[in-house]
Structures are given as structure tokens and as C-alpha cells.
Amino acid sequence: MSSDIIQFALYGALLTALAWPLGIYMAKVFSDERTFLTPVLQPVERLLLGVAGVDRNNAGQHWTRYALAALAFNLAGWVLLYAILRLQHLLPWNPEGMPPLSPDLAFNTAVSFVTNTNWQAYGGETTMSYFSQMVGLAVQNFVSAATGIAIGAAVIRGFFGRETRSLGNFWVDLTRSVLYVLLPLSILVGLALVWQGVPQNLTAHVDATTVEGARQTIAQGPAASQIAIKQLGTNGGGFFNANSAVPYENPTPLSNLIEMVSILLIPAAFCFMFGRMGRDMRQGVAIFATMLILFIGGLALTYAPEIQGNALFAEMPVDQSAGNMEGKEVRFGTGNSALWAAATTAASNGSVNSMHDSYTPLGMLAPMLQMQLGEIVFGGVGSGFYGMLLFVVLTVFLAGLMVGRTPEYLGKKIEAKEVKLSIIAFLVMPLGVLVFGAMAAMIPTALASLQDSGPHGLSEILYAYSSATGNNGSAFAGFNANVPYHNVMQGIAMLLGRYAFIVPMLAVAGSLAAKKTVPASSGTFPTHTPLFVTLLIAVILIIGGLTFFPALALGPIAEHFAMLSGQTF
């Protein structure tokens, strides 16, 4: 256990040490300042924008135009990816002769990758051709992540802007997100993974003879390149069915560390990017501290039940000295499995190196709640940060009511318009999780997908629709999602979870950008102090608790008490 704690501390220190300079670098990129990559990449940027007819020197867009550009680009990406998946049997780089996806599965998958969810209702190596993996899915891994980064940058400009109608230009921000951030980092991580033994080829699957003499097909393909962007872009969609629990995706302890750091690297860097762009690093550090404290709490609540083991095995001759090892890789153990589970659900990543369906009920409670909060504990690239800013707006509003002053944040008055828009965004998660989950619990065709009955069956439903609406993408292994009902309904939940957050958040940023900056006074509530961090955490937990605790009480909490009494379902 002590070795696990040391690993957790080293992970947090490494993440912070890398995120700070990356955040400053990203701030320079989106403030149009010179970076060490500018001499190499600026000519490419100018060429791409010139071909697209975008003037990078006169590129301001009102929030409505920015939102429409993002929506149009994502719609075009969905149409193209859907066509690739439906026609993959006619396209090249398909040595295994993979057939086309069904209409409902193609709809679900296309929506999933365009919305940065990367929910997979299929087995990667048994469903997708190399063309679909590289030209279809990997491309969306880049541009869906770039969309989140671009919108995050636009929102930051809105919060710090002064009497302006411009949030920047979506096409410029999108291009810079790919060229200056995602591509360089993906090349570095991809090369590191190849070094560690992850395959990167276009060869056909290989037949091998196991130690027992059986025949086994070992999948091949361009895995390293997709794994790099799946982690850095908080995508999470695995090249192989069992994701990063497969030795080919995650062969060594070092590859495991690289992939875990990659999950939270860009989301954490956004905090420091925020402070640098606003020229007040204290504001970014306060948000980073909030996210880190919530992450540590989530990790503790995930790790503690897992290291204690499964209560149902207490009276059985089962060695649980290493904790609950069901569904976990021995090479990673309980500590690295719990750390990955906490990181992947804190971010909208969804990759796994262990099977979440095999966790103890309380061990899975925190990851499920992290998704239900809206993926704001670091969250997705860009999306996690602007989701956290919605909670900041609400917290500042409540603080203003407490002290009897008009709420202010960064010198901008928070008024009814901003609060109403924030509330609209807050309602997305309850709609997708509770309403869609309730429907799935009542419709026979939806219930047929469950592996278990009772509280664990409800947990399977809650987890699936929390993952979809939160744009996470991870899943309980026992839940059969590849049926028409869930493919369609989860696709709708993914769309709501992505775009019903983006549009209100851009509207809030546009409203704040147009306002005058009010000088701070003795009555201004400071938003960089430990008091504000404490209040922000309280607001997040109260909203999450009031919204989702009744459902969680009927699912994982009820299952926990049932297990203590020796009851199974």
C-alpha cells in the first residue's frame, strides 16, 4: 500500500511539472505569440488557412458565428465518418476483409468519435479495417479534441476580453490546436510507445501457437499512433477491444505511466493557460487546486475499497492481500488500476487498463460520480475547463448573494443572463443520465442488454448513460451496448452532452467579453484564495449530491450493503 501512495504522489508531481510549462506554451499559441515551433509550423498554418480562405490577421468572430462554425465542422466530420464506416468493405487497407457496420452502430460510432466520447459498442480489432481506424477514427481523435481546445481558448478570451464582440476565429484555433499542440505531443508519445513495444504496422493478423498448443490470432495494425492521440486528446477509444489492458496497447509499466500522464496533461495545462492568458496566474492555480483536490478525493474513494478486497470473498479461501484483483492485470495491480480508473473518469477519456464492471460497488462509485459531475475534474481537453468555469460562475453568483453585492468574476459582473445559461448547461447531465437511464430501465429491449439484475444492473445503466452524456466513453464490461436501442439513445445522449454544453458556454463567454471591466474594491470577493477554492468544491459536491445521490443510493450504495450481508444478484 505504501508503494501505491508513493506512485500516486509521483504521478501528481509529474503531471504538475509537465502541465505548467505546457499551459504557458498553449497560452502563447492562442495569444498569437511566438513559440519555439513558430518558425517551422507558421508557414504550414498560413498555407492551410490560405487554402481555406481564412485571413488569420482579421479573424474575429462573434460567439454565434464561432458556435455555428464549430457545429458545421463537426456535422461534416460526422457525415464523412459515417460514410467510411458504412463503406469500409469497399475501401483499401482492409486485409482481414471487415464488413460494413450496421446503420445504428455506424451512427453511434460516428457520433461517439465526433463528440470526443469514443464510446465503443464493438471490438476494435474484430470490427474496424485499418482504413477506418486511421482515416476515420484517428482523424476524428485529432479534430474532435482540437474542437474542445479551440472552444476552451475562445471561452478564456471571452472571460478576459474587454468590450469586444470577438472570441477569436474557430478555424484559426482549430488549426493551431492540431498543428502546435496535438501533433507534436502525439509524435513524441507515439514514438515512446513504439519504443515500449506497441505495434505500428499495416500487416495482416498473425496466427500463433500458445503454450498449451492452441491456435491464437494476434491482431496487428497501426496501434501506437492511435493510442497516443486517444490519450492526449482524452478520446479513449482503444485500438483493441480490451483497450489498455491489452499488452499490445500497454506493454510495460513505463508505457502505463506515459499513457496515464497523457490522459490529464492537456486538461491540467488549461488551468495554467488560463492564468497566463489573463495575466493573473493565481486564478489558474486556484482552479487547478480545485481540480486536484477533487481528483485526490476521487482516487482515495476508488482505491480504498479496492485495496480492502471483495466482502463476498471474506469467508472463502481467496488471497486478497493485493486487494480486489478481479478484472485487473497482475502487472498493474490494484494501485495503478485504481489510479487509471480515477484519471480516465476525471477526464472525458474512457480508456481502461482494468474492467470497471469488476470493481467493488464503492470502488466504482467515485468514478461514476466524476462523470456525472460533467467531467470537470480536469475533464476533457478544453471541455473540462470550460465546464469548470460554469461552476465558477455559479459559485461567484452564490458568493455575491452571501455578501450582498453584485457578483463579479475577473472584473466582470455576473448577471441573470450568465446564470440562466449556466443552469441550462447544468441540466444536460440529469437529462442524459436520469431521464434516459430511467427509460432504459423500463423498456424490455433495453433491459436485455444487462448482464446482472438488482442494484448492479441499475449501476450498469447509470454508468453507461453517465459515460455517454459525459462524453467519457468507458463502459461496464458486462453491458451489451451494441443493440439498436442503446446505439441510438446513447448517440443522442452524446450529442446533448457535447453541444448543449458548448453553445451555452460560448454564449456566456460572448456576454462577458462585451462587458466593461470593473476595478476590484474592498468588497470584491477574491477568487484566487483557499476560501474560494473551498466554496467552489462545496458547490460542485452539493449540486452533484443533490442531483445524483438518490440514483446512486439505489445502485452502487445498495449493492455495497447487500454484499456486506452476503447477498448476490
Side-chain angles (χ1 to χ4, degrees):
M1 182 174 179
S2 59
S3 63
D4 289 337
I5 301 300
I6 293 172
Q7 288 186 74
F8 298 160
L10 290 174
Y11 175 79
L14 181 60
L15 177 66
T16 305
L18 293 174
W20 187 294
L22 178 60
I24 294 174
Y25 165 78
M26 289 170 59
K28 292 181 178 180
V29 169
F30 293 103
S31 299
D32 202 18
E33 298 177 27
R34 186 178 180 84
T35 71
F36 70 97
L37 289 178
T38 299
V40 178
L41 296 179
Q42 193 174 72
V44 181
E45 177 193 350
R46 286 175 173 167
L47 175 63
L48 293 174
L49 293 176
V51 171
V54 177
D55 182 1
R56 63 187 297 274
N57 297 316
N58 185 24
Q61 288 180 322
H62 186 259
W63 79 263
T64 52
R65 290 185 59 201
Y66 200 103
L68 286 173
L71 293 174
F73 177 75
N74 281 240
L75 176 61
W78 178 86
V79 171
L80 178 61
L81 181 54
Y82 181 85
I84 289 174
L85 299 178
R86 292 287 291 143
L87 300 172
Q88 76 170 1
H89 60 300
L90 303 176
L91 298 171
W93 299 338
N94 188 7
E96 299 301 317
M98 299 296 184
L101 275 64
S102 64
D104 59 287
L105 181 57
F107 166 78
N108 180 278
T109 304
V111 167
S112 178
F113 278 78
V114 168
T115 59
N116 200 235
T117 308
N118 304 84
W119 170 275
Q120 293 176 290
Y122 59 88
E125 69 268 44
T126 59
T127 307
M128 296 294 177
S129 68
Y130 296 161
F131 187 93
S132 296
Q133 292 273 20
M134 292 190 299
V135 180
L137 305 185
V139 167
Q140 286 303 319
N141 279 349
F142 275 96
V143 296
S144 67
T147 298
I149 294 173
I151 291 171
V155 168
I156 292 174
R157 293 192 195 101
F159 272 67
F160 286 110
R162 298 181 180 182
E163 299 181 77
T164 178
R165 292 174 54 84
S166 172
L167 296 183
N169 183 282
F170 172 74
W171 307 109
V172 174
D173 291 339
L174 181 79
T175 304
R176 290 178 178 172
S177 298
V178 175
L179 279 182
Y180 288 88
V181 181
L182 295 173
L183 267 177
L185 288 174
S186 295
I187 291 172
L188 292 175
V189 173
L191 290 174
L193 293 178
V194 171
W195 167 49
Q196 289 298 296
V198 179
Q200 180 71 20
N201 56 52
L202 294 174
T203 62
H205 295 183
V206 176
D207 289 327
T209 303
T210 66
V211 175
E212 294 84 2
R215 300 290 293 173
Q216 179 180 356
T217 299
I218 301 177
Q220 300 289 309
S225 57
Q226 182 152 323
I227 294 164
I229 186 58
K230 97 171 182 183
Q231 304 297 59
L232 288 164
T234 61
N235 294 289
F239 190 91
F240 301 103
N241 188 27
N243 211 276
S244 288
V246 177
Y248 258 16
E249 277 207 25
N250 190 10
T252 68
L254 181 56
S255 72
N256 192 67
L257 176 62
I258 292 170
E259 292 187 31
M260 283 195 298
V261 170
S262 298
I263 291 173
L264 296 182
L265 180 58
I266 298 178
F270 250 92
C271 300
F272 304 113
M273 171 182 166
F274 180 72
R276 173 63 166 71
M277 289 182 71
R279 289 172 171 74
D280 187 355
M281 189 59 76
R282 298 174 302 172
Q283 303 294 338
V285 170
I287 295 179
F288 179 79
T290 302
M291 292 180 173
L292 186 61
I293 292 169
L294 288 170
F295 176 72
I296 292 172
L299 173 59
L301 291 175
T302 303
Y303 176 69
E306 293 304 303
I307 198 64
Q308 291 175 5
N310 192 323
L312 293 177
F313 294 157
E315 304 301 325
M316 300 181 184
V318 177
D319 181 9
Q320 295 198 82
S321 59
N324 174 36
M325 286 299 295
E326 180 189 347
K328 298 180 178 66
E329 289 287 300
V330 175
R331 59 203 174 99
F332 299 138
T334 304
N336 275 302
S337 299
L339 178 57
W340 190 299
T344 196
T345 51
S348 63
N349 182 268
S351 65
V352 297
N353 72 347
S354 59
M355 296 301 105
H356 292 180
D357 197 24
S358 297
Y359 277 53
T360 61
L362 292 186
M364 191 35 56
L365 178 64
M368 196 182 301
L369 183 58
Q370 286 186 148
M371 293 188 294
Q372 291 167 350
L373 291 175
E375 304 281 7
I376 50 89
V377 185
F378 293 113
V381 286
S383 60
F385 187 80
Y386 62 69
M388 176 61 82
L389 285 180
L390 287 176
F391 279 98
V392 170
V393 168
L394 183 58
T395 302
V396 169
F397 174 74
L398 294 175
L401 294 180
M402 291 178 187
V403 299
R405 286 178 54 90
T406 302
E408 297 174 10
Y409 184 59
L410 305 176
K412 306 289 185 69
K413 291 186 180 296
I414 304 298
E415 299 173 305
K417 179 180 180 180
E418 291 81 33
V419 176
K420 289 177 181 177
L421 288 167
S422 299
I423 295 300
I424 291 173
F426 285 136
L427 292 175
V428 172
M429 287 303 298
L431 173 62
V433 177
L434 301 179
V435 176
F436 285 24
M439 293 168 59
M442 296 171 59
I443 298 174
T445 55
L447 286 171
S449 294
L450 300 184
Q451 175 180 267
D452 301 280
S453 59
H456 192 77
L458 177 58
S459 294
E460 291 178 4
I461 294 174
L462 288 174
Y463 194 99
Y465 282 90
S466 298
S467 180
T469 313
N471 297 138
N472 182 271
S474 64
F476 267 17
F479 183 79
N480 177 25
N482 190 14
V483 295
Y485 177 86
H486 290 302
N487 278 336
V488 173
M489 294 305 295
Q490 287 190 293
I492 296 173
M494 294 174 208
L495 292 170
L496 284 172
R498 183 68 163 178
Y499 303 112
F501 255 100
I502 283 177
V503 175
M505 193 65 245
L506 284 174
V508 170
S511 175
L512 292 177
K515 293 185 177 184
K516 297 180 179 179
T517 301
V518 180
S521 66
S522 58
T524 301
F525 186 74
T527 55
H528 59 269
T529 63
L531 177 60
F532 179 76
V533 171
T534 303
L535 183 59
L536 177 57
I537 292 173
V539 169
I540 291 168
L541 295 179
I542 290 172
I543 289 178
L546 292 177
T547 305
F548 296 105
F549 183 78
L552 294 174
L554 296 174
I557 296 176
E559 185 183 1
H560 169 70
F561 286 108
M563 289 178 63
L564 291 179
S565 64
Q567 184 179 0
T568 59
F569 299 92

